[in-house]
Amino acid sequence: MNYLSRTRIAALLASGPSAEEIEVPGWVRTRRDSKNVCFLELNDGSSLNGLQVIINKEGTDLQPLIERIQTGAAVIARGHLVESPGAGQSVELVCRDLTLVGECPAESYPLQKKRHSFEFLREIAHLRGRTNTFGAVMRVRNCLSRAVHQFYQERGFLYLHTPIITAGDAEGAGALFQVTTLDVENPPRLGSATPAGATSGDAARSGAAAGPVDYGRDFFGSRTFLTVSGQLNAEAYATALDRVYTFGPTFRAENSNTTRHLAEFWMIEPEMAFCDLEGNMELAEQFVRYLLRDVLEKCPEDMTFFDKRIEPGIVESLRGVAETQFRHLSYTEAISALEKSGETFEYAPSWGIDLQTEHEKYLTEKYAGGPVIVTDYPREIKAFYMKHNEDGKTVRAMDVLVPRLGEIIGGSQREDRLDALEASIDRLGLDRETYRWYLDLRRFGSVPHSGFGLGFERLVRYVTGMQNIRDVIPFPRAVGNADF
Ligand code: 4AD
Ligand code: MG
């Protein structure tokens, strides 16, 4: 079992017949029997299609072994690759010898040959990678990850690892998971003379007024959280290295039980110095189109599968998006288009509201017939760090919206004026001290700079046509569920 030199099924299927005997490990997807022959479909996760393995039952002593091979079993097949007479495959393996590595009892194996619902598969997330759909999703996800790095590396962006534990709320939205080593049932409290321990708990139980929690005694000496965005840290390095990007896990304790929200998701955040909103939009559009072109080129088989089984027409539509310029619309224009649309929305559109999924769907699917970049949102519905426009009402924000999904990217030009940024922080009641280092970036050699965040799972959902964001990440974490 030489791991590194082993040829995988994807490569075998693309090759021709072999003169030498080869060894192919994999998991049995299906087994069919005729009187004299047993057909196994073997899959090793390298491609959607498996390798057909043919075992001639006559004249071998494999018969007792074959009887024990069922769906899900792990085997190693040895034999010759021959041209396949059957349609749909180029080669098949005529098996001379077989090892049953791991048996799989059919009675208790949850994955049967029939189609299972995605809801059911979510309950067996540790096994769902063995299905056609999840194999394809994970291969496409992998391809897109590589393309993300390729895109930025080709353009001279430096890959920056930003912290996962932070003291500040980068979005100012308050959807934070707290990180603490304090005893949550009995934390030390300020203003109590008693040391942390049973006594302050006793005080609380006896009804004595307990002071606020003393985070000075927490692990980091202050209150800390899982990051909601690497942006602020990325800004520090963009104003040193000109262009950087992050690609890391992000956490939001939003109580939104939807098909496009996760509590733990991955985000790509480029940040560019000497760059205004125009440059930012150009990068975002190039980025999305590049990713689509790349995945269509590198994963044709998996994409055809999504087109056939998940979202008919998706390949054609993504190809169209990859080739067309995105429409630009100001928020004010977008609201006016929604108001004039004649559609009945659950949330009536009016200037000042945040765009809802239904509005985003209308704008992309009906109004523009493709992706739309909406700019200049009201400052009240956007984060504190965005640069104010001269009208005093809107900020230099831009969201990229796509059909079937809505918002895939959120970004902005950042407020680079110290006084204006301080005013925003104060207006929102945020703590200047927490953002002291961030304000320094405006104090020392401040430059216009911009960036955005692309939600990686939103992208994978968009590209595969999967309906639920929980089905495009190996082990989803969402409100009410952190199994596996
Ligand atoms: O629009 P958001 O909140 O922007 C930021 O976090 C900025 N700091 C980005 C930046 O300018 N550097 O989030 C960016 C993207 C969204 O457009 C969406 O695709 C994704 O992150 N996103 C989520 N994806 C899955 N689950 C969630 N709960 C998400 N929240 C945001
Ligand atoms: Mg957003």
Side-chain angles (χ1 to χ4, degrees):
M1 282 199 251
N2 188 337
Y3 186 76
L4 289 174
S5 63
R6 201 169 75 213
T7 312
R8 303 195 61 201
I9 289 175
L12 293 178
L13 292 176
S15 71
S18 65
E20 281 168 41
E21 183 167 297
I22 55 166
E23 192 175 81
V24 190
W27 290 268
V28 173
R29 282 291 177 82
T30 57
R31 171 188 162 169
R32 278 187 302 119
D33 284 275
S34 70
K35 191 159 162 277
N36 301 324
V37 182
C38 169
F39 301 91
L40 301 179
E41 193 203 333
L42 213 58
N43 194 294
D44 66 356
S46 60
S47 78
L48 186 70
N49 292 318
L51 179 67
Q52 166 136 286
V53 174
I54 302 192
I55 310 165
N56 209 325
K57 295 185 200 170
E58 284 183 337
T60 70
D61 46 13
L62 292 174
Q63 186 64 24
L65 189 68
I66 295 171
E67 296 307 322
R68 288 161 51 204
I69 295 177
Q70 311 195 47
T71 297
V75 302
I76 300 174
R78 290 174 206 85
H80 284 89
L81 274 189
V82 300
E83 221 162 288
S84 173
Q89 68 229 5
S90 52
V91 286
E92 58 192 29
L93 189 86
V94 177
C95 183
R96 179 190 60 79
D97 184 32
L98 193 77
T99 310
L100 175 54
V101 182
E103 278 188 72
C104 186
E107 325 76 67
S108 50
Y109 189 48
L111 286 174
Q112 296 303 321
K113 210 182 149 189
K114 66 172 186 144
R115 250 180 133 177
H116 296 290
S117 75
F118 291 135
E119 289 75 15
F120 170 72
L121 291 173
R122 241 170 266 148
E123 291 168 17
I124 50 163
H126 58 304
L127 296 173
R128 67 180 182 170
R130 301 180 184 193
T131 62
N132 281 341
T133 304
F134 286 89
V137 166
M138 295 311 150
R139 281 187 297 272
V140 162
R141 191 179 160 105
N142 171 67
C143 173
L144 288 167
S145 307
R146 182 185 48 203
V148 165
H149 287 293
Q150 237 164 245
F151 177 83
Y152 288 108
Q153 295 293 334
E154 282 169 5
R155 284 159 187 75
F157 284 67
L158 188 133
Y159 178 32
L160 189 75
H161 300 95
T162 46
I164 289 174
I165 299 175
T166 58
D169 180 352
E171 290 299 301
L176 300 158
F177 286 103
Q178 193 170 336
V179 175
T180 182
T181 52
L182 294 179
D183 176 358
V184 291
E185 309 214 324
N186 184 24
R189 294 190 178 272
L190 287 167
S192 95
T194 49
T199 44
S200 70
D202 292 345
R205 272 191 295 277
S206 69
V213 173
D214 183 3
Y215 286 108
R217 294 168 68 179
D218 202 348
F219 189 89
F220 298 103
S222 65
R223 225 177 150 190
T224 48
F225 309 93
L226 293 178
T227 185
V228 293
S229 158
Q231 176 196 322
L232 307 195
N233 302 90
E235 282 184 57
Y237 276 85
T239 53
L241 306 169
D242 188 67
R243 55 191 76 180
V244 299
Y245 71 105
T246 71
F247 185 176
T250 311
F251 308 87
R252 297 203 182 169
E254 293 164 309
N255 199 354
S256 1
N257 198 356
T258 75
T259 57
R260 50 176 221 171
H261 288 90
L262 288 165
E264 177 179 298
F265 62 99
W266 289 67
M267 183 154 54
I268 296 120
E269 294 182 279
E271 190 71 31
M272 297 159 286
F274 304 100
C275 179
D276 60 12
L277 193 65
E278 288 300 317
N280 202 22
M281 291 194 285
E282 195 180 313
L283 185 79
E285 174 171 339
Q286 276 186 25
F287 182 37
V288 172
R289 291 171 59 185
Y290 180 98
L291 294 173
L292 300 185
R293 274 198 301 276
D294 194 76
V295 75
L296 289 168
E297 184 195 316
K298 306 247 169 67
C299 302
E301 197 184 73
D302 290 324
M303 289 309 299
T304 303
F305 170 82
F306 291 121
D307 200 275
K308 269 204 198 126
R309 294 294 177 83
I310 304 292
E311 176 72 32
I314 193 168
V315 165
E316 192 57 33
S317 121
L318 295 179
R319 193 167 284 135
V321 171
E323 300 311 327
T324 350
Q325 282 200 318
F326 294 2
R327 183 91 175 259
H328 290 198
L329 217 55
S330 73
Y331 169 88
T332 304
E333 288 166 335
I335 290 292
S336 147
L338 290 163
E339 282 171 339
K340 288 189 203 136
S341 69
E343 304 266 322
T344 8
F345 295 111
E346 204 177 312
Y347 293 87
S350 69
W351 204 95
I353 64 151
D354 206 355
L355 295 182
Q356 305 295 317
T357 311
E358 54 175 343
H359 304 142
E360 295 174 347
K361 273 179 89 74
Y362 172 81
L363 290 172
T364 52
E365 290 169 13
K366 296 198 177 154
Y367 184 78
V372 178
I373 308 187
V374 180
T375 61
D376 304 291
Y377 284 73
R379 70 173 192 183
E380 270 69 30
I381 57 172
K382 288 292 180 189
F384 71 95
Y385 51 69
M386 296 189 182
K387 190 173 173 84
H388 278 69
N389 280 316
E390 267 148 30
D391 61 13
K393 294 193 300 188
T394 58
V395 287
R396 281 182 205 170
M398 63 110 185
D399 279 6
V400 179
L401 317 179
V402 293
R404 290 187 282 110
L405 176 73
E407 179 188 341
I408 193 165
I409 285 179
S412 61
Q413 182 170 343
R414 320 308 189 186
E415 184 55 80
D416 54 320
R417 297 162 298 187
L418 180 63
D419 51 349
L421 185 57
E422 283 175 336
S424 281
I425 289 177
D426 295 346
R427 185 171 53 84
L428 291 164
L430 301 170
D431 178 17
R432 270 201 205 189
E433 193 43 35
T434 309
Y435 300 100
R436 187 177 35 85
W437 65 269
Y438 186 65
L439 290 163
D440 267 358
L441 307 176
R442 280 71 183 166
R443 243 177 228 120
F444 309 125
S446 188
V447 286
H449 62 288
S450 302
F452 60 81
L454 175 135
F456 190 57
E457 287 72 24
R458 297 244 176 127
L459 171 76
V460 182
R461 217 197 96 175
Y462 176 58
V463 166
T464 57
M466 295 295 284
Q467 295 287 319
N468 194 320
I469 198 163
R470 297 174 198 205
D471 296 332
V472 297
I473 186 164
F475 295 104
R477 269 85 184 91
V479 58
N481 185 6
D483 290 345
F484 307 103

